[in-house]
Amino acid sequence: MDNCCPKVDIVIPRYKPDEKYDKLIERLTKQTIKPNHIYVMNTISGEETVDVGLMHQNIENLTVTNLSKVEFDHGGTRNKGASMSDAEFIMMMTQDAVPADKYLIEMMIEPFKDEKVAAVYARQLATPDVGIVESFTRKFNYPDKDSMKSKEDLEHLGIKTFFCSNVCAVYRKSIYEELGGFVTKTIFNEDMILASHIIDAGYSIAYAAKAKVFHAHRYTYRQQFQRNFDLGVSHRQYSEIFSRVKSEKEGAKLVKKTVHYLWKQGKPQLILDLVLQSGFKFLGYRMGKMYHKLPLWLIRKCSSQREYWNR
């Protein structure tokens, strides 16, 4: 690895973004380590009023590739972006992940000094508008301390060994290609599926706590249900990966810690909301795991990815 100027390309799927996308692009251009190239994979919404390429004509190293909604796939679209790159490192970001400072790329690249590291993911910070429960969830899932995961951690970390979020993650391209990249037919979890292959191949995944992005959502009960339905579908479709590690225990641990936190903060009135959120998550996940027994019309209502079921 060249410590002076590592070559980093960034892939960003884009679909009907809000103002966070503009902040993301702006802050990427101001990093201490500049992106070698930015590949925007733009799914056409039918509501575009301005050519996306023209929006970025002042940025020399940015390329927009247009896709139809039918063409979009969580894994395949990212693979297509990565295939355009000849960089040593490929950075995956979502359109609503806003770098917290100018050191994001620099901090993401640091762990790759260890040749066994195949992927690094960033810390996700809550924004003030998402509420106390989501803020605590972000702190629970993204602590302020770096960590490293390998095959030896499967026994005590369970499914968290495979955790690596494409909200903001960097992959060593040589290992990414060696392992075949992301799966090209998945409703969800393309990042964790590749992470499982990384771990099984004997490589490591690093969490870089100093690499920070603002990224959080305040979901409705229905949205929580739908997202976790899709999560359950993914776990069912790739049961050879997810059935061998503990997962639901981690969710229960988060709920218990959140209840304790809310009580200490003098917010017991929010516990009911937490219980309802958790119930919708659990019900969605359970139904997703048995999606193969449900009629297609019901699956479409339960899923947040309706286009997926039209393929």
XYZ file of all heavy atoms in Angstrom, residues 219-226 272-274 276-277 280-281:
141
model
N -37.794 5.883 11.515
C -38.756 5.077 10.761
C -40.092 4.975 11.483
O -40.158 4.935 12.718
C -38.206 3.669 10.534
C -37.015 3.607 9.612
C -35.785 3.142 10.069
C -37.122 3.993 8.281
C -34.682 3.077 9.221
C -36.034 3.935 7.429
C -34.815 3.476 7.905
O -33.727 3.412 7.068
N -41.165 4.878 10.702
C -42.482 4.579 11.248
C -42.536 3.091 11.590
O -41.648 2.315 11.209
C -43.579 4.903 10.228
O -43.425 4.030 9.086
C -43.504 6.355 9.765
N -43.577 2.685 12.307
C -43.727 1.260 12.634
C -43.807 0.429 11.363
O -43.223 -0.658 11.273
C -44.984 1.032 13.474
C -44.971 1.717 14.822
C -46.137 2.285 15.340
C -43.802 1.795 15.579
C -46.134 2.911 16.581
C -43.791 2.426 16.820
C -44.957 2.986 17.306
O -44.951 3.607 18.532
N -44.529 0.938 10.372
C -44.661 0.197 9.106
C -43.304 0.047 8.418
O -42.972 -1.029 7.914
C -45.643 0.914 8.178
C -45.815 0.215 6.850
C -46.792 0.938 5.943
N -46.956 0.243 4.677
C -47.725 0.657 3.695
N -48.445 1.768 3.836
N -47.809 -0.028 2.570
N -42.531 1.122 8.407
C -41.201 1.052 7.786
C -40.284 0.096 8.525
O -39.512 -0.633 7.904
C -40.588 2.457 7.737
C -41.246 3.381 6.723
C -40.773 4.822 6.851
O -40.465 5.304 7.943
N -40.707 5.521 5.726
N -40.376 0.073 9.861
C -39.582 -0.877 10.646
C -39.969 -2.305 10.277
O -39.107 -3.180 10.117
C -39.815 -0.664 12.154
C -39.323 0.664 12.702
C -37.816 0.706 12.905
O -37.068 -0.056 12.308
N -37.368 1.618 13.751
N -41.280 -2.541 10.153
C -41.770 -3.867 9.771
C -41.226 -4.262 8.403
O -40.703 -5.368 8.218
C -43.300 -3.875 9.751
C -43.895 -5.165 9.252
C -44.202 -6.193 10.125
C -44.136 -5.361 7.893
C -44.728 -7.398 9.664
C -44.668 -6.544 7.414
C -44.968 -7.571 8.309
N -41.331 -3.354 7.425
C -40.931 -3.673 6.054
C -39.424 -3.916 5.942
O -38.987 -4.852 5.262
C -41.355 -2.547 5.109
C -42.856 -2.461 4.905
C -43.262 -1.311 4.011
O -42.678 -0.210 4.073
N -44.257 -1.528 3.175
N -42.762 2.487 25.879
C -43.862 1.882 25.101
C -43.576 1.981 23.612
O -43.781 1.014 22.869
C -45.192 2.557 25.439
C -46.400 2.086 24.617
C -46.630 0.581 24.814
C -47.660 2.883 24.995
N -43.111 3.136 23.169
C -42.765 3.309 21.757
C -41.666 2.325 21.349
O -41.727 1.716 20.280
C -42.296 4.746 21.508
C -41.877 4.989 20.063
O -42.694 4.752 19.152
O -40.724 5.400 19.841
N -40.680 2.153 22.215
C -39.595 1.200 21.950
C -40.136 -0.222 21.828
O -39.749 -0.970 20.922
C -38.550 1.273 23.064
C -37.454 0.199 23.031
C -36.559 0.373 21.811
C -36.624 0.236 24.311
N -43.141 -1.140 20.987
C -43.892 -1.260 19.735
C -42.957 -1.354 18.532
O -43.159 -2.188 17.639
C -44.842 -0.067 19.578
C -46.044 -0.048 20.514
C -46.784 1.283 20.432
C -47.000 -1.198 20.184
N -41.913 -0.503 18.516
C -40.922 -0.585 17.439
C -40.314 -1.981 17.372
O -40.198 -2.577 16.295
C -39.808 0.440 17.676
C -40.150 1.858 17.310
C -38.909 2.748 17.343
O -37.855 2.366 16.857
N -39.047 3.924 17.927
N -42.755 -4.593 15.975
C -42.887 -4.536 14.521
C -41.641 -5.084 13.831
O -41.733 -5.755 12.800
C -43.175 -3.109 14.066
C -44.619 -2.721 14.165
C -45.099 -2.027 15.269
C -45.514 -3.081 13.163
C -46.446 -1.679 15.360
C -46.856 -2.741 13.242
C -47.329 -2.043 14.354
N -40.467 -4.805 14.389
C -39.231 -5.357 13.838
C -39.241 -6.879 13.899
O -38.930 -7.572 12.920
C -38.020 -4.829 14.621
C -37.645 -3.394 14.364
C -36.422 -3.026 15.222
C -36.015 -1.590 15.028
N -34.841 -1.242 15.873
